[in-house]
Structure formats: C-alpha cells, structure tokens
Amino acid sequence: MQPHRISGVLISADEIARRVDELVTLLEPHCRAENFVMIGILRGSFMFIADLVRDLYQHGVHPKIDFITLESYGSGMESSGTVKVTKDITVDLAGAEVLLIDDILDSGRTLHFAVNLMREKGASRVLTCALLDKPDRRVVKVKPDFTGFTIQDHFVVGYGLDYDSRYRELPYIAKVELI
Ligand code: IMP
Ligand code: MG
C-alpha cells in the first residue's frame, strides 16, 4: 500500500440511501420471477446488496441470494487483466432470472466475465446493477442495466469498496489520494 490519504466525502451516506431507494423503484418490476436470484460480486458489493435487498423487501420481493468472489486486482489500483473465480455460487441457475450486483465498473472485465458465467450456468436472463460506473476507464464494451452513480476516473473507497482490503467499512464513498 502506498502512502495515501482518504479525502473528504465524494458521495455521502444520505445520497447513497436516496439512490438505493430510486434504484429499487426501477429494479423492483424486474424482480418478480418465481426463480429470481440476486448475486453479489464479492467482496465490494456486500453493503450495496444488503441495502438493496432490505429495500426490495418493502416491495414484497423475496429473492434467492448468493455470492461469487471474483478477483482481478492485485493489491494496488490497477486491474491485472484476467478475472478468476475464487469462490463460486452454489445456487442452481438453470432457468433463473439473475440480477448481478457489483460495486463498480472500471475496465468492465469483471462484469463482462460474470454475465457470461451466469449464462453458462443456465440463467435465462441476466440483468446487471453497479453502484458506481467509471465509463472513462472502460476496456471491455459493457454497460450496466442499472447504475447508481457515474463518477470520474478517481480511485474510490468506502461502502464496500477497498484500497488494499481497507476502508470497506466507511458508510460513504471517498477518494484515495496518493501522497
Ligand atoms: P473491472 O473488472 O476493471 O471493471 O474492475 C472491477 C473491480 O475492480 C471492482 O469490482 C472493484 O473491486 C475494483 N475497482 C475498480 N475501481 C475501483 C475503485 O475506484 N476503488 C476500489 N475498487 C475498484
Ligand atoms: Mg476490490
């Protein structure tokens, strides 16, 4: 980890909560299938999916929930380019309608990989929702079906996102500045 500081608040906890509520209004009609499964991409999405499912519950949505751990990052701020599954889901996806939840779209490799994997596992539909999108960084052509916030090319932490496994606990999103 390089010397760094966490600068201010880029997106506050209140702004996140309001956006989660808006997203759920958009998502909720797509969560009605009998075989509806929400899959969080770990580790960054744990807080986001926890807030989404509690809000969806208010709309009477009762999803199956599972998690997959995908890794492409080393310990720095740059993606290594290849994505691998380090912990897989156990839920059966044959004929399932899947909603994939990710923390942030950067190069796009992770989400692209995850969508293809869900299809290979037999999902009949795969929708995607990312809390944050950094479109300027895209390498693979992929666009989430639902996005919380579009941000500029900053490295950010908090609300599940880490820098070298730290700062996931912050209830807000902040920028990391190298010093
Ligand atoms: P992608 O495969 O390049 O789109 O990267 C996606 C993954 O990289 C995310 O799920 C994050 O875990 C990580 N990532 C990308 N940008 C950031 C960032 O600004 N802060 C923390 N993690 C990031
Ligand atoms: Mg990460």
Side-chain angles (χ1 to χ4, degrees), residues 83-112:
V83 181
K84 54 177 198 269
V85 180
T86 55
K87 284 193 199 112
D88 209 344
I89 55 168
T90 54
V91 69
D92 179 13
L93 291 190
E97 298 202 2
V98 168
L99 176 59
L100 270 173
I101 308 297
D102 204 359
D103 54 353
I104 187 164
L105 238 87
D106 189 38
S107 71
R109 289 188 188 102
T110 304
L111 198 63
H112 180 75

PDB file of all heavy atoms in Angstrom, residues 83-112:
ATOM      1  N   VAL A  83      -9.707 -12.248 -15.030  1.00  0.00           N
ATOM      2  CA  VAL A  83     -10.639 -12.391 -13.914  1.00  0.00           C
ATOM      3  C   VAL A  83     -10.693 -13.859 -13.544  1.00  0.00           C
ATOM      4  O   VAL A  83     -10.741 -14.716 -14.422  1.00  0.00           O
ATOM      5  CB  VAL A  83     -12.049 -11.915 -14.338  1.00  0.00           C
ATOM      6  CG1 VAL A  83     -13.029 -12.030 -13.188  1.00  0.00           C
ATOM      7  CG2 VAL A  83     -11.992 -10.492 -14.863  1.00  0.00           C
ATOM      8  N   LYS A  84     -10.670 -14.166 -12.246  1.00  0.00           N
ATOM      9  CA  LYS A  84     -10.856 -15.562 -11.851  1.00  0.00           C
ATOM     10  C   LYS A  84     -11.862 -15.687 -10.710  1.00  0.00           C
ATOM     11  O   LYS A  84     -12.024 -14.765  -9.909  1.00  0.00           O
ATOM     12  CB  LYS A  84      -9.524 -16.246 -11.545  1.00  0.00           C
ATOM     13  CG  LYS A  84      -8.657 -15.556 -10.537  1.00  0.00           C
ATOM     14  CD  LYS A  84      -7.417 -16.414 -10.303  1.00  0.00           C
ATOM     15  CE  LYS A  84      -6.734 -16.027  -9.014  1.00  0.00           C
ATOM     16  NZ  LYS A  84      -5.713 -15.019  -9.123  1.00  0.00           N
ATOM     17  N   VAL A  85     -12.494 -16.869 -10.694  1.00  0.00           N
ATOM     18  CA  VAL A  85     -13.451 -17.171  -9.633  1.00  0.00           C
ATOM     19  C   VAL A  85     -12.661 -17.740  -8.470  1.00  0.00           C
ATOM     20  O   VAL A  85     -11.990 -18.750  -8.624  1.00  0.00           O
ATOM     21  CB  VAL A  85     -14.474 -18.245 -10.097  1.00  0.00           C
ATOM     22  CG1 VAL A  85     -15.470 -18.553  -8.988  1.00  0.00           C
ATOM     23  CG2 VAL A  85     -15.183 -17.812 -11.367  1.00  0.00           C
ATOM     24  N   THR A  86     -12.739 -17.099  -7.301  1.00  0.00           N
ATOM     25  CA  THR A  86     -12.058 -17.687  -6.143  1.00  0.00           C
ATOM     26  C   THR A  86     -13.047 -18.345  -5.185  1.00  0.00           C
ATOM     27  O   THR A  86     -12.661 -19.195  -4.399  1.00  0.00           O
ATOM     28  CB  THR A  86     -11.161 -16.670  -5.410  1.00  0.00           C
ATOM     29  OG1 THR A  86     -11.949 -15.546  -5.053  1.00  0.00           O
ATOM     30  CG2 THR A  86     -10.023 -16.205  -6.294  1.00  0.00           C
ATOM     31  N   LYS A  87     -14.329 -17.940  -5.237  1.00  0.00           N
ATOM     32  CA  LYS A  87     -15.391 -18.683  -4.536  1.00  0.00           C
ATOM     33  C   LYS A  87     -16.632 -18.618  -5.405  1.00  0.00           C
ATOM     34  O   LYS A  87     -17.074 -17.522  -5.773  1.00  0.00           O
ATOM     35  CB  LYS A  87     -15.717 -18.055  -3.172  1.00  0.00           C
ATOM     36  CG  LYS A  87     -14.701 -18.327  -2.106  1.00  0.00           C
ATOM     37  CD  LYS A  87     -15.231 -17.960  -0.715  1.00  0.00           C
ATOM     38  CE  LYS A  87     -14.089 -17.782   0.261  1.00  0.00           C
ATOM     39  NZ  LYS A  87     -13.918 -16.398   0.705  1.00  0.00           N
ATOM     40  N   ASP A  88     -17.185 -19.767  -5.699  1.00  0.00           N
ATOM     41  CA  ASP A  88     -18.306 -19.803  -6.648  1.00  0.00           C
ATOM     42  C   ASP A  88     -19.650 -19.812  -5.910  1.00  0.00           C
ATOM     43  O   ASP A  88     -19.705 -20.064  -4.705  1.00  0.00           O
ATOM     44  CB  ASP A  88     -18.171 -21.047  -7.531  1.00  0.00           C
ATOM     45  CG  ASP A  88     -18.790 -20.853  -8.915  1.00  0.00           C
ATOM     46  OD1 ASP A  88     -19.583 -19.906  -9.099  1.00  0.00           O
ATOM     47  OD2 ASP A  88     -18.480 -21.658  -9.814  1.00  0.00           O
ATOM     48  N   ILE A  89     -20.715 -19.550  -6.658  1.00  0.00           N
ATOM     49  CA  ILE A  89     -22.070 -19.679  -6.109  1.00  0.00           C
ATOM     50  C   ILE A  89     -22.410 -21.159  -5.944  1.00  0.00           C
ATOM     51  O   ILE A  89     -21.787 -22.021  -6.578  1.00  0.00           O
ATOM     52  CB  ILE A  89     -23.121 -19.023  -7.040  1.00  0.00           C
ATOM     53  CG1 ILE A  89     -23.020 -19.591  -8.469  1.00  0.00           C
ATOM     54  CG2 ILE A  89     -22.974 -17.523  -7.054  1.00  0.00           C
ATOM     55  CD1 ILE A  89     -24.183 -19.222  -9.343  1.00  0.00           C
ATOM     56  N   THR A  90     -23.419 -21.437  -5.116  1.00  0.00           N
ATOM     57  CA  THR A  90     -23.895 -22.817  -5.021  1.00  0.00           C
ATOM     58  C   THR A  90     -25.348 -22.942  -5.486  1.00  0.00           C
ATOM     59  O   THR A  90     -25.817 -24.041  -5.747  1.00  0.00           O
ATOM     60  CB  THR A  90     -23.790 -23.352  -3.578  1.00  0.00           C
ATOM     61  OG1 THR A  90     -24.467 -22.456  -2.711  1.00  0.00           O
ATOM     62  CG2 THR A  90     -22.342 -23.487  -3.149  1.00  0.00           C
ATOM     63  N   VAL A  91     -26.049 -21.819  -5.616  1.00  0.00           N
ATOM     64  CA  VAL A  91     -27.446 -21.853  -6.066  1.00  0.00           C
ATOM     65  C   VAL A  91     -27.499 -22.355  -7.522  1.00  0.00           C
ATOM     66  O   VAL A  91     -26.575 -22.104  -8.298  1.00  0.00           O
ATOM     67  CB  VAL A  91     -28.078 -20.438  -5.925  1.00  0.00           C
ATOM     68  CG1 VAL A  91     -27.483 -19.449  -6.912  1.00  0.00           C
ATOM     69  CG2 VAL A  91     -29.592 -20.472  -6.049  1.00  0.00           C
ATOM     70  N   ASP A  92     -28.572 -23.101  -7.841  1.00  0.00           N
ATOM     71  CA  ASP A  92     -28.740 -23.627  -9.203  1.00  0.00           C
ATOM     72  C   ASP A  92     -29.353 -22.532 -10.085  1.00  0.00           C
ATOM     73  O   ASP A  92     -30.414 -21.996  -9.758  1.00  0.00           O
ATOM     74  CB  ASP A  92     -29.672 -24.851  -9.136  1.00  0.00           C
ATOM     75  CG  ASP A  92     -29.925 -25.457 -10.497  1.00  0.00           C
ATOM     76  OD1 ASP A  92     -29.211 -25.103 -11.465  1.00  0.00           O
ATOM     77  OD2 ASP A  92     -30.858 -26.285 -10.602  1.00  0.00           O
ATOM     78  N   LEU A  93     -28.696 -22.223 -11.188  1.00  0.00           N
ATOM     79  CA  LEU A  93     -29.187 -21.129 -12.032  1.00  0.00           C
ATOM     80  C   LEU A  93     -29.978 -21.595 -13.245  1.00  0.00           C
ATOM     81  O   LEU A  93     -30.350 -20.772 -14.088  1.00  0.00           O
ATOM     82  CB  LEU A  93     -28.018 -20.260 -12.506  1.00  0.00           C
ATOM     83  CG  LEU A  93     -27.305 -19.419 -11.451  1.00  0.00           C
ATOM     84  CD1 LEU A  93     -26.355 -18.441 -12.132  1.00  0.00           C
ATOM     85  CD2 LEU A  93     -28.292 -18.663 -10.571  1.00  0.00           C
ATOM     86  N   ALA A  94     -30.254 -22.898 -13.362  1.00  0.00           N
ATOM     87  CA  ALA A  94     -30.988 -23.386 -14.539  1.00  0.00           C
ATOM     88  C   ALA A  94     -32.326 -22.652 -14.649  1.00  0.00           C
ATOM     89  O   ALA A  94     -33.164 -22.736 -13.756  1.00  0.00           O
ATOM     90  CB  ALA A  94     -31.195 -24.888 -14.433  1.00  0.00           C
ATOM     91  N   GLY A  95     -32.492 -21.900 -15.713  1.00  0.00           N
ATOM     92  CA  GLY A  95     -33.736 -21.169 -15.960  1.00  0.00           C
ATOM     93  C   GLY A  95     -33.965 -19.957 -15.066  1.00  0.00           C
ATOM     94  O   GLY A  95     -35.029 -19.340 -15.099  1.00  0.00           O
ATOM     95  N   ALA A  96     -32.963 -19.576 -14.284  1.00  0.00           N
ATOM     96  CA  ALA A  96     -33.154 -18.478 -13.328  1.00  0.00           C
ATOM     97  C   ALA A  96     -33.056 -17.101 -13.993  1.00  0.00           C
ATOM     98  O   ALA A  96     -32.363 -16.924 -14.997  1.00  0.00           O
ATOM     99  CB  ALA A  96     -32.109 -18.572 -12.223  1.00  0.00           C
ATOM    100  N   GLU A  97     -33.781 -16.152 -13.409  1.00  0.00           N
ATOM    101  CA  GLU A  97     -33.613 -14.747 -13.800  1.00  0.00           C
ATOM    102  C   GLU A  97     -32.671 -14.124 -12.777  1.00  0.00           C
ATOM    103  O   GLU A  97     -32.982 -14.038 -11.595  1.00  0.00           O
ATOM    104  CB  GLU A  97     -34.963 -14.027 -13.831  1.00  0.00           C
ATOM    105  CG  GLU A  97     -35.888 -14.658 -14.860  1.00  0.00           C
ATOM    106  CD  GLU A  97     -36.998 -13.741 -15.348  1.00  0.00           C
ATOM    107  OE1 GLU A  97     -37.062 -12.569 -14.924  1.00  0.00           O
ATOM    108  OE2 GLU A  97     -37.802 -14.220 -16.165  1.00  0.00           O
ATOM    109  N   VAL A  98     -31.511 -13.709 -13.270  1.00  0.00           N
ATOM    110  CA  VAL A  98     -30.429 -13.278 -12.371  1.00  0.00           C
ATOM    111  C   VAL A  98     -30.278 -11.760 -12.406  1.00  0.00           C
ATOM    112  O   VAL A  98     -30.348 -11.140 -13.466  1.00  0.00           O
ATOM    113  CB  VAL A  98     -29.102 -13.957 -12.795  1.00  0.00           C
ATOM    114  CG1 VAL A  98     -27.908 -13.335 -12.086  1.00  0.00           C
ATOM    115  CG2 VAL A  98     -29.165 -15.458 -12.532  1.00  0.00           C
ATOM    116  N   LEU A  99     -30.072 -11.197 -11.230  1.00  0.00           N
ATOM    117  CA  LEU A  99     -29.659  -9.797 -11.127  1.00  0.00           C
ATOM    118  C   LEU A  99     -28.282  -9.789 -10.454  1.00  0.00           C
ATOM    119  O   LEU A  99     -28.149 -10.164  -9.287  1.00  0.00           O
ATOM    120  CB  LEU A  99     -30.671  -8.991 -10.301  1.00  0.00           C
ATOM    121  CG  LEU A  99     -30.321  -7.525 -10.041  1.00  0.00           C
ATOM    122  CD1 LEU A  99     -30.152  -6.733 -11.344  1.00  0.00           C
ATOM    123  CD2 LEU A  99     -31.394  -6.872  -9.167  1.00  0.00           C
ATOM    124  N   LEU A 100     -27.276  -9.401 -11.235  1.00  0.00           N
ATOM    125  CA  LEU A 100     -25.904  -9.338 -10.726  1.00  0.00           C
ATOM    126  C   LEU A 100     -25.646  -7.967 -10.123  1.00  0.00           C
ATOM    127  O   LEU A 100     -25.956  -6.946 -10.741  1.00  0.00           O
ATOM    128  CB  LEU A 100     -24.922  -9.519 -11.888  1.00  0.00           C
ATOM    129  CG  LEU A 100     -24.453 -10.905 -12.253  1.00  0.00           C
ATOM    130  CD1 LEU A 100     -23.624 -10.820 -13.548  1.00  0.00           C
ATOM    131  CD2 LEU A 100     -23.618 -11.531 -11.145  1.00  0.00           C
ATOM    132  N   ILE A 101     -25.066  -7.967  -8.926  1.00  0.00           N
ATOM    133  CA  ILE A 101     -24.795  -6.705  -8.234  1.00  0.00           C
ATOM    134  C   ILE A 101     -23.291  -6.533  -8.089  1.00  0.00           C
ATOM    135  O   ILE A 101     -22.610  -7.395  -7.514  1.00  0.00           O
ATOM    136  CB  ILE A 101     -25.431  -6.706  -6.813  1.00  0.00           C
ATOM    137  CG1 ILE A 101     -26.920  -7.071  -6.875  1.00  0.00           C
ATOM    138  CG2 ILE A 101     -25.213  -5.362  -6.123  1.00  0.00           C
ATOM    139  CD1 ILE A 101     -27.793  -6.113  -7.639  1.00  0.00           C
ATOM    140  N   ASP A 102     -22.781  -5.414  -8.612  1.00  0.00           N
ATOM    141  CA  ASP A 102     -21.343  -5.151  -8.449  1.00  0.00           C
ATOM    142  C   ASP A 102     -21.146  -3.774  -7.829  1.00  0.00           C
ATOM    143  O   ASP A 102     -22.035  -2.921  -7.872  1.00  0.00           O
ATOM    144  CB  ASP A 102     -20.623  -5.249  -9.799  1.00  0.00           C
ATOM    145  CG  ASP A 102     -19.137  -5.561  -9.633  1.00  0.00           C
ATOM    146  OD1 ASP A 102     -18.662  -5.684  -8.481  1.00  0.00           O
ATOM    147  OD2 ASP A 102     -18.445  -5.681 -10.656  1.00  0.00           O
ATOM    148  N   ASP A 103     -19.968  -3.580  -7.244  1.00  0.00           N
ATOM    149  CA  ASP A 103     -19.703  -2.287  -6.611  1.00  0.00           C
ATOM    150  C   ASP A 103     -19.380  -1.225  -7.649  1.00  0.00           C
ATOM    151  O   ASP A 103     -19.910  -0.121  -7.609  1.00  0.00           O
ATOM    152  CB  ASP A 103     -18.569  -2.420  -5.573  1.00  0.00           C
ATOM    153  CG  ASP A 103     -17.281  -3.033  -6.132  1.00  0.00           C
ATOM    154  OD1 ASP A 103     -17.266  -3.489  -7.295  1.00  0.00           O
ATOM    155  OD2 ASP A 103     -16.277  -3.057  -5.394  1.00  0.00           O
ATOM    156  N   ILE A 104     -18.490  -1.554  -8.592  1.00  0.00           N
ATOM    157  CA  ILE A 104     -18.011  -0.516  -9.516  1.00  0.00           C
ATOM    158  C   ILE A 104     -17.588  -1.128 -10.835  1.00  0.00           C
ATOM    159  O   ILE A 104     -17.036  -2.223 -10.873  1.00  0.00           O
ATOM    160  CB  ILE A 104     -16.844   0.282  -8.857  1.00  0.00           C
ATOM    161  CG1 ILE A 104     -16.427   1.474  -9.714  1.00  0.00           C
ATOM    162  CG2 ILE A 104     -15.653  -0.600  -8.547  1.00  0.00           C
ATOM    163  CD1 ILE A 104     -15.575   2.498  -8.953  1.00  0.00           C
ATOM    164  N   LEU A 105     -17.883  -0.431 -11.912  1.00  0.00           N
ATOM    165  CA  LEU A 105     -17.436  -0.832 -13.242  1.00  0.00           C
ATOM    166  C   LEU A 105     -16.268   0.033 -13.634  1.00  0.00           C
ATOM    167  O   LEU A 105     -16.405   1.256 -13.763  1.00  0.00           O
ATOM    168  CB  LEU A 105     -18.553  -0.618 -14.260  1.00  0.00           C
ATOM    169  CG  LEU A 105     -18.911  -1.893 -14.975  1.00  0.00           C
ATOM    170  CD1 LEU A 105     -19.945  -2.585 -14.125  1.00  0.00           C
ATOM    171  CD2 LEU A 105     -19.432  -1.629 -16.354  1.00  0.00           C
ATOM    172  N   ASP A 106     -15.147  -0.613 -13.839  1.00  0.00           N
ATOM    173  CA  ASP A 106     -13.919   0.096 -14.167  1.00  0.00           C
ATOM    174  C   ASP A 106     -13.551  -0.306 -15.596  1.00  0.00           C
ATOM    175  O   ASP A 106     -14.123   0.220 -16.550  1.00  0.00           O
ATOM    176  CB  ASP A 106     -12.884  -0.307 -13.108  1.00  0.00           C
ATOM    177  CG  ASP A 106     -11.605   0.479 -13.160  1.00  0.00           C
ATOM    178  OD1 ASP A 106     -11.671   1.681 -13.423  1.00  0.00           O
ATOM    179  OD2 ASP A 106     -10.531  -0.100 -12.911  1.00  0.00           O
ATOM    180  N   SER A 107     -12.652  -1.272 -15.778  1.00  0.00           N
ATOM    181  CA  SER A 107     -12.360  -1.742 -17.137  1.00  0.00           C
ATOM    182  C   SER A 107     -13.579  -2.439 -17.738  1.00  0.00           C
ATOM    183  O   SER A 107     -13.725  -2.514 -18.953  1.00  0.00           O
ATOM    184  CB  SER A 107     -11.184  -2.721 -17.120  1.00  0.00           C
ATOM    185  OG  SER A 107     -11.566  -3.945 -16.529  1.00  0.00           O
ATOM    186  N   GLY A 108     -14.435  -2.981 -16.896  1.00  0.00           N
ATOM    187  CA  GLY A 108     -15.601  -3.726 -17.359  1.00  0.00           C
ATOM    188  C   GLY A 108     -15.353  -5.227 -17.425  1.00  0.00           C
ATOM    189  O   GLY A 108     -16.277  -5.998 -17.664  1.00  0.00           O
ATOM    190  N   ARG A 109     -14.118  -5.644 -17.188  1.00  0.00           N
ATOM    191  CA  ARG A 109     -13.770  -7.071 -17.339  1.00  0.00           C
ATOM    192  C   ARG A 109     -14.553  -7.958 -16.371  1.00  0.00           C
ATOM    193  O   ARG A 109     -15.021  -9.031 -16.743  1.00  0.00           O
ATOM    194  CB  ARG A 109     -12.275  -7.288 -17.111  1.00  0.00           C
ATOM    195  CG  ARG A 109     -11.395  -6.743 -18.221  1.00  0.00           C
ATOM    196  CD  ARG A 109      -9.949  -7.172 -17.989  1.00  0.00           C
ATOM    197  NE  ARG A 109      -9.052  -6.522 -18.918  1.00  0.00           N
ATOM    198  CZ  ARG A 109      -8.283  -5.481 -18.620  1.00  0.00           C
ATOM    199  NH1 ARG A 109      -8.298  -4.961 -17.413  1.00  0.00           N
ATOM    200  NH2 ARG A 109      -7.486  -4.963 -19.532  1.00  0.00           N
ATOM    201  N   THR A 110     -14.664  -7.496 -15.127  1.00  0.00           N
ATOM    202  CA  THR A 110     -15.311  -8.332 -14.114  1.00  0.00           C
ATOM    203  C   THR A 110     -16.775  -8.587 -14.459  1.00  0.00           C
ATOM    204  O   THR A 110     -17.243  -9.731 -14.438  1.00  0.00           O
ATOM    205  CB  THR A 110     -15.205  -7.660 -12.721  1.00  0.00           C
ATOM    206  OG1 THR A 110     -13.836  -7.418 -12.436  1.00  0.00           O
ATOM    207  CG2 THR A 110     -15.803  -8.530 -11.634  1.00  0.00           C
ATOM    208  N   LEU A 111     -17.492  -7.520 -14.781  1.00  0.00           N
ATOM    209  CA  LEU A 111     -18.919  -7.686 -15.054  1.00  0.00           C
ATOM    210  C   LEU A 111     -19.142  -8.503 -16.328  1.00  0.00           C
ATOM    211  O   LEU A 111     -20.019  -9.361 -16.383  1.00  0.00           O
ATOM    212  CB  LEU A 111     -19.611  -6.321 -15.147  1.00  0.00           C
ATOM    213  CG  LEU A 111     -21.123  -6.396 -15.003  1.00  0.00           C
ATOM    214  CD1 LEU A 111     -21.521  -6.915 -13.621  1.00  0.00           C
ATOM    215  CD2 LEU A 111     -21.767  -5.049 -15.244  1.00  0.00           C
ATOM    216  N   HIS A 112     -18.336  -8.238 -17.335  1.00  0.00           N
ATOM    217  CA  HIS A 112     -18.427  -8.976 -18.592  1.00  0.00           C
ATOM    218  C   HIS A 112     -18.228 -10.479 -18.333  1.00  0.00           C
ATOM    219  O   HIS A 112     -19.011 -11.314 -18.795  1.00  0.00           O
ATOM    220  CB  HIS A 112     -17.348  -8.433 -19.542  1.00  0.00           C
ATOM    221  CG  HIS A 112     -17.319  -9.091 -20.870  1.00  0.00           C
ATOM    222  ND1 HIS A 112     -18.260  -8.832 -21.841  1.00  0.00           N
ATOM    223  CD2 HIS A 112     -16.466 -10.002 -21.397  1.00  0.00           C
ATOM    224  CE1 HIS A 112     -17.982  -9.567 -22.908  1.00  0.00           C
ATOM    225  NE2 HIS A 112     -16.901 -10.286 -22.663  1.00  0.00           N
TER     226      HIS A 112
END
